[in-house]
Amino acid sequence: RSCLEMLLLLLFLLLLLPPLAVLWQRQPQDVRLSWLVGLQHRVAAATLRWAAAWQRRRLEQSTLHAGQSQQQALRWCLQGARGPHTYDLFGATDISTFRNHLPLTKASQAQEEENEGQLLPSTSPQYYGEASLQATLLGLAALNKAYPDVLAPGGTACVTPMSPWPHPLPWPWPALGQVSAPGAKHPRALLLKALRSPGLRALEAGTAAELLDVFSGLEADGEELAEAIAAGNPGPPLPRRAAELREALEQGPRGLALRLWPKLQVVVTLDAGGQAEAVAALGALWCQGLAFFSPAYAASGGVVGLNLWPEQPGGLYLLPPGAPLIELLPVKEGAQEEAASPVLLAEAQKGEEYELVLTDNTSLTRCCLGDVVQVVGAYNQCPVVRFVRRLGQALSVRGEDIREDMFSEALGRAVRQWPGAKLLDHSCVESSILDSSEGSAPHYEVFVALRGLRNLSEENRDKLDHCLQEVSPRYKSLRFWGSVGPARVHLVAQGAFRELRAALAACRSSPFPPEMPRVLRHRHLAQCLQRRVVS
């Protein structure tokens, strides 16, 4: 059956529900409503199982013949193409001709911001494609299998306007346990609805960074939220629940989620790059003791990875062979990088690192996304990968090229040496962006948000520079000769990174889903953090 036929069948089943409810008119109203809700949930759950099994069979077939599936994906791209190379590729269906006529586009973050344009394929708040539908259906089925009763009515709440599920489903979310009513998109309203429901089993947020903002705001506005719940805004007054909220907040951030929702099992967020730090902070504090699950890996342009293994920590993603067309560019060091040629999914080698290449079917852009993954296994003929880093997030004031993962490792080492400190967020700026060298050698300006430490001593600041020298011999050499100055570390106030994310979202070239940048290239964005420095 086609996807459209499946959705029409689903809608037909749901239209049968109101007439069936008429049969219970002689029963008390609460009995009738309970029966109707139960029937809705059973129909939705059965439809989900059927749709997920259908998608799983399609995935099995496509991954067993990855080369043929990617050839079909190429034809799909060419059918809807409207780019400058369309005429050259007219009638072409083989990969070699496609590559010869369509050069790779390198789109660094710096280029995107400078041009204030979208070099990467355009996206929307939901990916209405086959990969996004697969990710949602298979992710929901895998989540329900790993954590039974998570999708029971009233068991799930989304506390951010954006959902972690890439594709909206046509059946009513309340039947699958979604607490948030359609249209209730204000963050405070979403949080209040979740706080009024002590029986939650799953907590959803668009990204981990957004969920970090939610918990930080919950602590700051806890008394106001408790008063709203006690006063019945919205819904009936719940003074006992308000008292539980106050008591949970008084005990501090560690384990707060489980104190508020004792039945909570899993946190669902969308992996969109730059989220590992937020996941670590949530797991160490507010969401301690809970599992984290991302149904997909999303990059600007669409869903590029499916997560079929909720029980695996850290996020493992299958790269599907359908549309959009995905290629893998080997990541080589030094001069070899320019000579590397992209490979198809079936040609990926275990243990190797690759940059993702995505082809857009509308403008026919064959674009290097800058996201680097490592192949850790295989699913039939397709690679299973883990996200490693983003190429556009490297620091380099003298050609030292400190990668995103290297800097995160060094910062993590340094923070572990700061007594009582927990790292919540960070971003870096090369000194030339802020004109902060003041006659000294170029250096890094590092902005950090911490928990458990209110002031940074000079000794603490120096530890980051020492750790950077440990992970990068090139940086150590430049520091020895004085070509690069010591990194300057600044502690920012609570809410500084929330303001930065708001400023990023307002940018015309802001990608979707929202990534958390670790290196800022625009002065006005860096000044958002600079204005909030407290130490």
Side-chain angles (χ1 to χ4, degrees):
R1 291 178 182 272
S2 70
C3 178
L4 179 60
E5 289 173 325
M6 183 189 73
L7 297 181
L8 289 175
L9 176 62
L10 177 61
L11 292 173
F12 176 73
L13 290 173
L14 292 174
L15 288 173
L16 289 177
L17 296 182
L20 289 174
V22 176
L23 300 175
W24 289 87
Q25 287 298 321
R26 294 183 180 181
Q27 299 292 331
Q29 184 178 4
D30 57 343
V31 174
R32 295 199 305 267
L33 289 175
S34 177
W35 173 83
L36 183 58
V37 169
L39 179 60
Q40 278 185 314
H41 179 262
R42 286 192 292 273
V43 171
T47 306
L48 171 63
R49 287 193 295 269
W50 175 82
W54 175 72
Q55 285 286 355
R56 191 66 180 247
R57 287 194 296 271
R58 286 173 57 89
L59 185 65
E60 286 290 333
Q61 288 298 315
S62 64
T63 55
L64 277 171
H65 309 284
Q68 180 181 346
S69 299
Q70 289 210 275
Q71 194 73 36
Q72 293 174 348
L74 173 60
R75 286 196 291 269
W76 178 83
C77 286
L78 295 178
Q79 285 173 0
R82 295 190 299 270
H85 299 277
T86 305
Y87 182 79
D88 295 335
L89 291 167
F90 182 77
T93 57
D94 64 286
I95 294 290
S96 297
T97 304
F98 168 73
R99 287 173 173 168
N100 290 336
H101 285 85
L102 197 64
L104 291 174
T105 301
K106 288 279 187 180
S108 67
Q109 183 187 16
Q111 288 173 323
E112 281 188 65
E113 292 177 344
E114 286 169 8
N115 295 333
E116 296 185 355
Q118 192 75 11
L119 293 183
L120 298 177
S122 59
T123 55
S124 63
Q126 299 287 356
Y127 305 108
Y128 299 105
E130 183 68 18
S132 63
L133 181 60
Q134 274 190 339
T136 297
L137 290 173
L138 296 180
L140 281 168
L143 184 66
N144 194 42
K145 182 179 179 180
Y147 304 99
D149 300 325
V150 158
L151 300 183
T156 304
C158 187
V159 292
T160 61
M162 189 184 84
S163 168
W165 301 102
H167 199 289
L169 296 179
W171 55 74
W173 268 113
L176 287 174
Q178 185 79 4
V179 171
S180 302
K185 293 298 187 181
H186 192 278
R188 187 176 186 274
L190 295 172
L191 180 57
L192 274 172
K193 286 180 178 292
L195 290 173
R196 292 173 60 88
S197 307
L200 294 183
R201 292 177 171 85
L203 195 64
E204 295 181 354
T207 62
E210 291 177 89
L211 186 59
L212 193 67
D213 292 339
V214 169
F215 276 106
S216 297
L218 174 58
E219 288 189 291
D221 305 326
E223 182 56 37
E224 181 183 341
L225 292 168
E227 289 177 0
I229 292 172
N233 181 23
L238 297 176
R240 182 175 178 180
R241 183 59 179 161
E244 291 173 352
L245 172 57
R246 291 187 178 100
E247 182 181 353
L249 289 170
E250 287 174 358
Q251 298 178 45
R254 198 177 301 275
L256 175 61
L258 278 174
R259 292 198 301 275
L260 290 173
W261 302 288
K263 296 181 180 180
L264 204 59
Q265 295 177 282
V266 62
V267 176
V268 184
T269 61
L270 185 66
D271 195 351
Q275 304 296 321
E277 207 162 80
V279 171
L282 289 165
L285 294 172
W286 298 277
C287 299
Q288 190 179 60
L290 294 171
F292 283 78
F293 173 59
S294 169
Y297 181 76
S300 186
V303 168
V304 294
L306 312 177
N307 190 347
L308 307 179
W309 307 276
E311 67 282 356
Q312 292 290 332
L316 299 180
Y317 301 100
L318 163 67
L319 299 184
L325 180 67
I326 300 174
E327 298 173 87
L328 300 171
L329 182 64
V331 176
K332 302 294 184 182
E333 297 294 334
Q336 295 181 350
E337 183 178 357
E338 295 299 325
S341 299
V343 300
L344 295 178
L345 298 182
E347 301 167 328
Q349 300 296 314
K350 185 176 180 179
E352 295 297 315
E353 292 186 355
Y354 299 91
E355 181 183 1
L356 295 172
V357 178
L358 205 66
T359 298
D360 174 33
N361 74 304
T362 54
S363 62
L364 206 59
T365 303
R366 188 165 167 245
C367 186
C368 299
L369 299 184
D371 292 34
V372 177
V373 297
Q374 183 184 47
V375 178
V376 297
Y379 185 94
N380 292 331
Q381 292 185 350
C382 289
V384 175
V385 302
R386 68 176 183 88
F387 174 78
V388 178
R389 64 183 183 276
R390 294 168 293 176
L391 295 178
Q393 296 290 286
L395 287 161
S396 186
V397 294
R398 290 290 191 190
E400 66 278 13
D401 192 30
I402 294 189
R403 305 182 319 229
E404 181 182 22
D405 54 335
M406 292 171 59
F407 187 90
S408 295
E409 180 186 349
L411 182 58
R413 288 185 190 179
V415 172
R416 286 191 291 272
Q417 299 177 52
W418 300 347
K422 292 289 183 183
L423 180 65
L424 303 183
D425 230 329
H426 89 272
S427 272
C428 306
V429 185
E430 294 172 1
S431 57
S432 59
I433 302 295
L434 288 172
D435 293 331
S436 57
S437 294
E438 299 177 354
S440 61
H443 57 273
Y444 310 149
E445 300 281 347
V446 184
F447 300 91
V448 296
L450 300 174
R451 184 87 190 202
L453 194 63
R454 294 186 177 182
N455 291 291
L456 284 173
S457 65
E458 287 304 316
E459 181 183 359
N460 287 338
R461 300 174 201 270
D462 291 341
K463 286 176 180 176
L464 172 59
D465 199 72
H466 292 312
C467 292
L468 283 171
Q469 295 182 47
E470 290 175 0
V471 301
S472 173
R474 172 65 175 164
Y475 180 80
K476 183 177 182 179
S477 174
L478 291 170
R479 286 285 295 113
F480 176 79
W481 293 107
S483 301
V484 172
R488 299 179 182 178
V489 188
H490 310 281
L491 178 62
V492 298
Q494 181 178 335
F497 280 90
R498 183 168 61 248
E499 292 180 13
L500 172 62
R501 280 187 276 275
L504 284 164
C507 292
R508 234 182 357 167
S509 60
S510 178
F512 190 94
E515 298 180 353
M516 184 58 217
R518 298 304 173 198
V519 179
L520 301 176
R521 307 293 185 187
H522 259 192
R523 181 178 301 182
H524 77 276
L525 295 176
Q527 289 173 339
C528 287
L529 297 178
Q530 193 177 42
R531 288 192 294 265
R532 300 298 304 275
V533 170
V534 295
S535 172

